């Protein structure tokens, strides 16, 4: 089975075909048997490296965070009527950081103060996928595979849950905070990669769209006695076993779903469930994080890692045309996003450090691609121009900003987890096109670096219905050793 896209087709047709193919892969996954770890004699098998991190927190800037307006400032020109769009590179001036000679953008002053704990990659690159759909690029970033695939590919967190296993058997190994999967645009596409794929339900995420309500997710309903709780669990298991969908599931997938229920049952009966209640934090501490859902999510992530979670993703939430998805009014929107992330990201790093957890917790700030004022995709791309404000010069504030998707070079920030401190890797051009011109880092090699830090060989593979499938595409990802301390 092969999947193809016509990059010149209207966006709604591309999205419709994408959904059809994702659905087919998802249905196939439900019928698949148990994935089998490839034998040591297989050329793709490799010994796991020694881990430099026990936990991973991914701070996901969903929608396309513009590197020139965050971590890779370029020539700055302030807003002025008549400013040529072709002359816009950065819409925020550069500011110094705690690292001599390193600058990031105004609005991130607090993050600037902790950049001496960070490795900053300025040369992450994404492939040109033709028609640019955020969900396709997010799928690629989170799974390592360009969608759609003939199998349901596991999320990065599911790989960690399956291969590294839980740090605490009571805590979910993979937790997703801040992203609604119902009632928002592209929700079906988001669901396609926010999953354990062929690994089965037990390795999938616990989804917590609202951090302030997370405690309710791990408590029995009010008035539920212990006896009723036990009986309800037994009845629920029986209903699942008798479901009409049972005929569409393999025994392995059925058993995996039941095991996931057992784990949830243990969590609801444990003391660890208190980690989900951010109201147990001192009020003064909560206020340092509370810039909104993302900030509260960072606080929740810290509590969960303290209690033994393996992988936690916290997102500013991807909703089309909101947050980092700056198709118009880019500068004003990014200014708001600076305020949303600056304090909680910084406080997360400081709290992990104070608790002695930062050295063994890998914290990553990333997005699906960068943005540019003029260029869609990268040089030579035939991607459709999706900017809403298609003007040659600025006449209103809404025209001022980086409104087009750019895949030729973006930034990734990594704290702790065995990475170097106060280190910059790679470079993008100083003038348009802002391509990565030194040490480009592909998604495969970025994933290999993350997995190596977590003690997982990038060549780890499983046999899925007779097909070898690897943690990095075709087992070709290579860790960027220069990033490790």
């Amino acid at each position: 089975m092969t999947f193809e896209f016509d990059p010149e087709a209207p966006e709604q047709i591309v999205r419709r075909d994408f959904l059809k193919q994702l659905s087919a892969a998802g249905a196939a996954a439900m019928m698949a048997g148990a994935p089998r770890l490839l034998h040591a004699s297989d050329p793709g098998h490799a010994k796991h490296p020694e881990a430099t991190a026990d936990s991973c927190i991914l701070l996901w800037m969903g929608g396309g965070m513009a590197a020139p307006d965050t971590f890779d400032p370029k020539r700055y020109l302030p807003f002025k009527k008549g400013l040529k769009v072709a002359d816009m590179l950065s819409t925020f001036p550069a500011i110094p950081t705690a690292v001599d000679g390193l600058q990031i953008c105004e609005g991130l002053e607090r993050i600037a103060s902790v950049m001496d704990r960070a490795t900053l990659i300025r040369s992450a690159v994404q492939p040109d996928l033709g028609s640019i759909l955020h969900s396709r690029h997010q799928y690629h970033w989170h799974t390592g595979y360009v969608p759609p695939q003939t199998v349901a590919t596991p999320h990065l967190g599911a790989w960690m849950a399956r291969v590294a296993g839980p740090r605490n058997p009571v805590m979910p190994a993979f937790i997703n905070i801040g992203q609604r999967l119902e009632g928002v645009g592209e929700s079906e596409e988001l669901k396609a990669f926010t999953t354990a794929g062929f690994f089965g339900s037990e390795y999938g995420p616990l989804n917590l769209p609202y951090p302030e309500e997370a405690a309710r997710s791990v408590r029995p309903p009010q008035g539920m006695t212990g006896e009723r709780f036990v009986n309800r669990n037994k009845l629920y298991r029986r209903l699942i076993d008798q479901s009409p969908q049972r005929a569409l599931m393999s025994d392995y997938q059925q058993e995996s779903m039941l095991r996931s229920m057992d784990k949830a049952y243990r969590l609801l009966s444990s003391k660890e469930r208190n980690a989900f209640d951010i109201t147990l934090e001192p009020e003064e501490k909560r206020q340092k994080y509370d810039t909104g859902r993302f900030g509260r999510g960072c606080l929740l992530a810290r509590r969960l890692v303290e209690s033994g979670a393996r992988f936690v993703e916290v997102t500013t939430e991807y909703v089309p045309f909101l947050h980092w998805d700056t198709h118009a009014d880019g500068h004003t929107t990014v200014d708001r996003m600076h305020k949303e992330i600056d304090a909680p990201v910084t406080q997360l790093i400081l709290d992990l450090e104070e608790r002695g957890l930062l050295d063994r917790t890998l914290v990553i700030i990333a997005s699906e691609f960068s943005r540019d004022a003029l260029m869609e995709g990268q040089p030579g791309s035939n991607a459709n121009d999706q900017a809403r404000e298609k003007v040659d010069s600025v006449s209103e504030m809404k025209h001022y900003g980086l409104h087009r998707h750019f895949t030729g070079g973006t930034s990734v920030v990594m704290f702790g987890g065995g990475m170097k401190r106060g280190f910059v890797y790679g470079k993008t051009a100083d003038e348009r096109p802002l391509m990565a011109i030194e040490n480009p880092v592909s998604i495969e090699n970025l994933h290999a670096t993350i997995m190596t830090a977590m003690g997982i060989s990038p060549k780890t593979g499983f046999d899925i219905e007779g097909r070898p499938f690897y943690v990095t595409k075709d087992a070709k990802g290579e860790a960027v050793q220069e990033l490790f301390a």
Side-chain angles (χ1 to χ4, degrees):
M1 185 188 303
T2 59
F3 295 136
E4 296 180 358
F5 284 99
D6 177 4
E8 296 183 359
E11 185 177 346
Q12 63 268 27
I13 294 177
V14 174
R15 180 170 284 115
R16 183 187 65 196
D17 290 344
F18 180 35
L19 278 172
K20 285 182 180 178
Q21 293 158 2
L22 288 176
S23 297
M30 295 306 292
M31 292 295 293
R36 296 186 298 277
L37 186 67
L38 294 175
H39 297 298
S41 59
D42 186 278
H45 183 89
K47 182 180 179 181
H48 291 309
E50 183 177 351
T52 60
D54 302 316
S55 301
C56 180
I57 299 175
L58 172 60
L59 304 177
W60 184 249
M61 308 290 114
M65 178 183 71
D69 276 348
T70 51
F71 295 102
D72 193 8
K74 302 298 181 183
R75 173 172 43 80
Y76 164 69
L77 292 174
F79 170 78
K80 181 178 69 173
K81 287 188 178 182
L83 173 66
K84 291 182 180 179
V85 171
D87 291 337
M88 276 196 293
L89 293 180
S90 287
T91 70
F92 293 85
I95 59 170
T97 70
V99 179
D100 287 344
L102 173 61
Q103 295 182 319
I104 61 176
C105 286
E106 182 180 80
L108 299 177
E109 284 79 7
R110 296 186 186 186
I111 293 178
S113 72
V114 294
M115 288 302 291
D116 56 343
R117 284 87 156 173
T119 276
L120 171 56
I121 302 170
R122 280 182 165 162
S123 55
V125 295
Q126 297 81 37
D128 180 6
L129 300 184
S131 180
I132 294 178
L133 297 179
H134 284 274
S135 45
R136 287 190 76 205
H137 281 272
Q138 291 192 58
Y139 186 114
H140 184 204
W141 201 101
H142 284 88
T143 70
Y145 287 80
V146 174
Q149 295 285 319
T150 55
V151 297
T153 50
H155 187 289
L156 201 66
W159 277 99
M160 293 183 194
R162 172 64 179 84
V163 180
R167 289 177 57 222
N168 178 339
V170 174
M171 287 292 291
F174 173 13
I175 301 171
N176 189 47
I177 301 173
Q179 179 66 58
R180 289 169 291 173
L181 296 175
E182 302 291 346
V184 296
E186 299 188 31
S187 59
E188 295 305 313
E189 295 95 326
L190 294 173
K191 290 177 188 176
F193 65 79
T194 311
T195 172
F198 54 71
F199 281 141
S201 301
E202 64 190 300
Y203 302 108
L206 172 61
N207 291 312
L208 302 170
Y210 295 96
E212 60 275 15
E213 297 178 5
R216 294 172 53 190
S217 302
V218 293
R219 289 177 183 156
Q222 189 172 4
M224 178 70 65
T225 64
E227 184 178 359
R228 285 184 64 202
F229 186 46
V230 171
N231 289 336
R232 178 171 288 191
N233 181 51
K234 291 178 180 177
L235 177 60
Y236 189 45
R237 292 173 63 92
R238 194 179 310 132
L239 287 172
I240 286 183
D241 191 53
Q242 296 172 354
S243 168
Q245 303 298 320
R246 177 67 182 89
L248 303 176
M249 299 174 65
S250 69
D251 289 342
Y252 171 78
Q253 295 292 335
Q254 169 81 353
E255 292 162 2
S256 182
M257 181 179 291
L258 293 174
R259 285 193 293 270
S260 71
M261 290 172 54
D262 288 339
K263 290 179 180 179
Y265 180 74
R266 288 199 300 273
L267 175 60
L268 267 64
S269 308
S270 73
K271 62 179 176 57
E272 280 85 354
R273 72 185 190 189
N274 288 333
F276 292 79
D277 190 352
I278 60 175
T279 66
L280 298 179
E281 283 285 320
E283 177 64 22
E284 182 181 1
K285 179 68 72 175
R286 274 187 284 158
Q287 288 179 358
K288 291 181 178 180
Y289 281 91
D290 197 1
T291 58
R293 281 169 62 203
F294 175 77
R296 294 189 289 273
C298 288
L299 173 57
L300 178 58
R302 193 215 77 207
R303 292 176 59 84
L304 296 175
V305 164
E306 283 182 286
S307 293
R310 175 73 71 185
F311 176 89
V312 182
E313 179 167 345
V314 186
T315 175
T316 54
E317 189 173 52
Y318 172 64
V319 179
F321 310 116
L322 291 177
H323 312 314
W324 293 108
D325 194 13
T326 53
H327 289 267
D329 213 14
H331 175 84
T332 302
T333 302
V334 171
D335 183 54
R336 173 173 59 82
M337 296 309 297
H338 284 168
K339 294 179 173 65
E340 186 171 334
I341 71 169
D342 192 36
V345 169
T346 306
Q347 196 60 46
L348 173 63
I349 300 306
L350 294 175
D351 277 3
L352 289 172
E353 185 175 60
E354 180 185 11
R355 288 162 170 74
L357 296 171
L358 184 59
D359 285 347
R360 300 293 299 186
T361 304
L362 179 62
V363 182
I364 306 163
I365 304 174
S367 189
E368 64 263 39
F369 42 63
S370 183
R371 287 191 175 265
D372 186 77
L374 194 63
M375 183 170 293
E376 189 81 29
Q378 54 187 269
S381 175
N382 59 1
N384 295 327
D385 184 358
Q386 297 183 45
R388 288 183 165 186
E389 300 299 332
K390 296 180 173 123
V391 297
D392 294 326
S393 61
V394 170
S395 60
E396 302 177 61
M397 193 65 189
K398 68 179 181 178
H399 299 150
Y400 185 57
L402 310 184
H403 298 145
R404 291 169 169 89
H405 311 114
F406 185 68
T407 59
T410 191
S411 296
V412 175
V413 188
M414 306 173 87
F415 294 91
M419 299 296 123
K420 288 179 178 175
R421 297 165 65 97
F423 182 64
V424 180
Y425 185 81
K427 181 181 179 181
T428 53
D430 291 330
E431 296 292 334
R432 185 177 287 112
L434 304 178
M435 301 290 291
I437 57 174
E438 290 182 9
N439 298 321
V441 179
S442 66
I443 285 179
E444 289 81 9
N445 290 351
L446 179 62
H447 279 192
T449 303
I450 294 168
M451 289 299 184
T452 296
M454 296 297 293
I456 299 171
S457 167
K459 299 185 184 302
T460 302
F462 287 81
D463 182 285
I464 310 301
E465 300 293 310
R467 171 188 173 183
F469 205 94
Y470 300 92
V471 68
T472 59
K473 186 180 178 184
D474 300 329
K476 292 181 179 178
E478 298 286 343
V480 183
Q481 295 297 336
E482 295 91 332
L483 303 181
F484 288 87

